[in-house]
Amino acid sequence: LASWVPVVGLEIHAQISSNSKLFSGSQVQFAAPPNSLVSFFDASLPGTLPVLNRRCVEAAVMTGLALNCSINKKSFFDRKHYFYADLPAGYQITQQRVPIAVNGSLSYSVCIDNKMSQMVTKTVRIKQIQLEQDSGKSLHDDTRSQTLVDLNRAGVGLMEVVMEPDMCCGEEAAAAVRELQLILQTLGSSQAIMAEGQLRVDANVSVHHPGEPYGVRTEVKNINSVRFLAKAVDYEIQRQIEELENGGTILNETRAFDSKLGCTISMRDKEGKQDYRFMPEPNLPPLILYDAKTLPANMNHQQVVNIDWIRERLPDLPSVKRAKLVELYGILPEHSFTLLNEDGLAEYFENVIKHTQMKPKKVIGWILKDLLSYLKEHALAVKDSPVSSVLLADLLNLLERKEISSSAAKQVFEELWKGEGKTPLEIVKEKQLELLRDQEELEQICQAVMDRQEDEVGACMLW
């Protein structure tokens, strides 16, 4: 591997979190009955016209600002032509010439030698973010040998985030996508749930010898989980190296990742480059955005999108939240990553801190070792935990006041997990787990034990 340099670039489609589609008033809803959310425009009936959704524009601007992009005050929509059964118009409305945001960057962290305690921060350049509409979905019915089309997704707003080829392995690609996913969820610009197809990743992979031009690249399409992304990229790098070392050649092709087999499979070659016949979208004017300087005085605030107004309202991004957690509570940086990676865990942790006298460094141990392992074991989200943050805080207070031992606390936690509605104190009393502090009582217990074991005590005395 030392004599090969892998190169990885990503194209990510994030579904914009909006009640309606990009150019029509149709509702957006996951798993609705097929073809129940389709307007005349989505079905591409003659005479229908696109109307741009303001919410989608604001989400793209917000995302661009969070990724350090320059926001273009004037951007354009284009038609990208290709024939596919689930694209009724025969073209997709996208932004090919001048997209809404360009030249950004995303910082992410990766572990060195799989050690969470040794992390290094890397940066990937963002080439552009463009607004475009999603296509419908083809449903293949093998038993009847037919394909059905569901247009519910047709016209749903997407942000395509194009990353420069700045990564070199599956772990880096996965870490960058995970960070992007957290940013989108923090902004609320996309729910970014990969299992629901709200974040779809295409990975471009090539290898070359140091100092030589980039090799021929393949594209692995539609990867739907961060874990599979890491596996797909690493497999593809290894496959290309072995192919080249055995005297073969790499084809410029589209491949798919088979998660069951753990390998990539050829789908179609890209040798004859498809001519998308891009043309300006005649039914949409240029998209004009404003900032504080260019905003006309007599303009109604509701009619325009003001970049500075959005910038001022950006929430704390994950990197800032992590730094605050480390600074406020004195926890380790790697622990701040785990807290933010699990949805709702940072809030849970801070809630426990509010209600307990225990030091944050000890609380984090309970959260990461006990709570998180139980949640993972039962495949539960933080919000579904039967042990609320207040209950855990009550338990830790008993431990901190030395009313119970740490082994007793683990027992109480197990009981709390059953979700029977008992408080930690009730469980302690019921199971008689209190620590005894009365010296006389302790002496009596010890004496009683010795009295019951006369032979053993006698044998000790002989020693």
Side-chain angles (χ1 to χ4, degrees):
L1 190 64
S3 63
W4 292 99
V5 179
V7 177
V8 181
L10 302 176
E11 291 167 15
I12 298 151
H13 287 92
Q15 182 181 314
I16 297 168
S17 187
S18 166
N19 293 330
S20 52
K21 296 183 182 180
L22 184 57
F23 299 116
S24 82
S26 295
Q27 200 187 338
V28 175
Q29 187 192 322
F30 179 66
N35 296 309
S36 61
L37 307 172
V38 187
S39 69
F40 292 154
F41 177 78
D42 306 329
S44 198
L45 296 187
T48 55
L49 293 170
V51 178
L52 182 57
N53 180 337
R54 177 197 171 102
R55 157 71 193 156
C56 293
V57 174
E58 289 175 339
V61 170
M62 202 189 296
T63 305
L65 291 172
L67 295 175
N68 311 300
C69 292
S70 299
I71 307 295
N72 282 322
K73 287 194 194 136
K74 189 176 188 180
S75 60
F76 298 91
F77 287 100
D78 304 277
R79 288 185 180 183
K80 175 185 182 179
H81 295 80
Y82 60 96
F83 175 76
Y84 208 70
D86 56 24
L87 192 77
Y91 60 83
Q92 175 196 39
I93 303 178
T94 180
Q95 292 190 307
Q96 193 256 344
R97 292 164 298 161
V98 183
I100 195 164
V102 292
N103 301 334
S105 64
L106 169 70
S107 292
Y108 61 96
S109 295
V110 283
C111 310
I112 302 170
D113 302 329
N114 285 333
K115 288 182 190 154
M116 275 296 279
S117 55
Q118 289 177 282
M119 301 187 92
V120 59
T121 300
K122 301 202 167 196
T123 302
V124 56
R125 289 169 297 154
I126 306 285
K127 185 183 180 201
Q128 65 191 56
I129 299 173
Q130 63 201 47
L131 278 168
E132 60 186 35
Q133 47 177 181
D134 208 344
S135 58
K137 201 172 184 182
S138 293
L139 307 164
H140 305 294
D141 184 343
D142 293 333
T143 52
R144 296 185 197 169
S145 304
Q146 65 180 6
T147 295
L148 304 166
V149 174
D150 178 10
L151 294 180
N152 280 350
R153 211 175 62 184
V156 166
L158 299 177
M159 293 177 283
E160 182 177 357
V161 180
V162 182
M163 294 183 176
E164 298 283 9
D166 294 342
M167 291 159 281
C168 68
C169 64
E171 189 194 4
E172 286 189 8
V177 169
R178 181 69 188 116
E179 189 68 10
L180 175 64
Q181 190 179 30
L182 278 175
I183 289 169
L184 294 172
Q185 288 167 345
T186 302
L187 297 171
S189 58
S190 171
Q191 292 176 345
I193 303 165
M194 294 190 87
E196 293 186 8
Q198 293 171 359
L199 200 69
R200 309 196 285 276
V201 183
D202 301 338
N204 291 297
V205 180
S206 70
V207 297
H208 63 276
H209 287 298
E212 290 184 5
Y214 283 1
V216 175
R217 74 174 191 225
T218 61
E219 184 180 29
V220 187
K221 289 286 277 187
N222 280 338
I223 305 164
N224 62 357
S225 97
V226 171
R227 201 162 48 90
F228 292 160
L229 171 62
K231 286 184 175 175
V233 167
D234 287 338
Y235 175 87
E236 189 55 22
I237 289 168
Q238 209 52 51
R239 184 193 71 82
Q240 290 187 18
I241 290 169
E242 283 169 18
E243 184 74 41
L244 292 167
E245 286 187 343
N246 291 330
T249 54
I250 301 301
L251 297 175
N252 178 216
E253 63 181 351
T254 298
R255 298 177 73 87
F257 179 66
D258 186 316
S259 55
K260 289 190 180 76
L261 299 174
C263 64
T264 63
I265 298 153
S266 180
M267 285 168 69
R268 56 183 180 268
D269 77 60
K270 284 187 159 190
E271 291 301 323
K273 195 168 185 318
Q274 187 158 3
D275 178 12
Y276 289 120
R277 303 190 321 283
F278 282 105
M279 61 172 268
E281 168 54 62
N283 294 323
L284 285 164
L287 172 55
I288 308 293
L289 306 177
Y290 296 88
D291 59 16
K293 284 186 198 140
T294 58
L295 191 66
N298 58 347
M299 186 71 83
N300 180 346
H301 175 69
Q302 294 302 312
Q303 291 176 315
V304 298
V305 173
N306 181 340
I307 300 164
D308 288 334
W309 189 87
I310 293 172
R311 193 195 307 273
E312 284 160 19
R313 282 155 184 78
L314 283 180
D316 279 350
L317 294 178
S319 54
V320 175
K321 282 187 188 171
R322 284 192 284 259
K324 281 185 177 176
L325 286 169
V326 170
E327 192 186 332
L328 267 176
Y329 303 114
I331 61 173
L332 296 170
E334 57 267 29
H335 290 163
S336 72
F337 273 86
T338 314
L339 284 179
L340 252 71
N341 279 351
E342 297 297 324
D343 190 24
L345 195 60
E347 291 82 357
Y348 187 104
F349 167 70
E350 293 200 278
N351 252 342
V352 175
I353 297 289
K354 266 184 217 159
H355 295 98
T356 181
Q357 291 99 44
M358 189 179 269
K359 294 267 188 324
K361 283 184 183 176
K362 280 165 81 178
V363 173
I364 197 83
W366 274 87
I367 299 266
L368 302 186
K369 286 197 192 93
D370 298 270
L371 179 78
L372 206 50
S373 57
Y374 268 83
L375 289 171
K376 290 223 157 98
E377 193 185 322
H378 296 89
L380 287 176
V382 176
K383 64 178 169 44
D384 301 321
S385 168
V387 183
S388 69
S389 54
V390 175
L391 281 178
L392 182 57
D394 287 349
L395 170 60
L396 298 185
N397 282 335
L398 291 175
L399 184 58
E400 194 63 11
R401 293 198 298 265
K402 300 199 165 42
E403 289 178 33
I404 54 171
S405 66
S406 56
S407 60
K410 304 270 180 199
Q411 267 181 271
V412 175
F413 187 82
E414 263 181 57
E415 287 299 313
L416 285 172
W417 190 263
K418 293 175 185 171
E420 291 168 356
K422 293 173 189 164
T423 67
L425 191 58
E426 284 166 353
I427 294 167
V428 167
K429 293 223 157 90
E430 192 181 291
K431 300 214 169 278
Q432 298 180 334
L433 296 169
E434 303 102 320
L435 280 174
L436 289 173
R437 292 186 183 155
D438 187 326
Q439 192 169 344
E440 242 179 77
E441 198 179 338
L442 283 168
E443 282 174 10
Q444 282 171 6
I445 292 167
C446 293
Q447 191 60 54
V449 171
M450 287 166 72
D451 291 346
R452 281 201 302 273
Q453 315 288 337
E454 281 180 17
D455 293 348
E456 284 83 351
V457 172
C460 291
M461 300 293 260
L462 290 171
W463 284 99

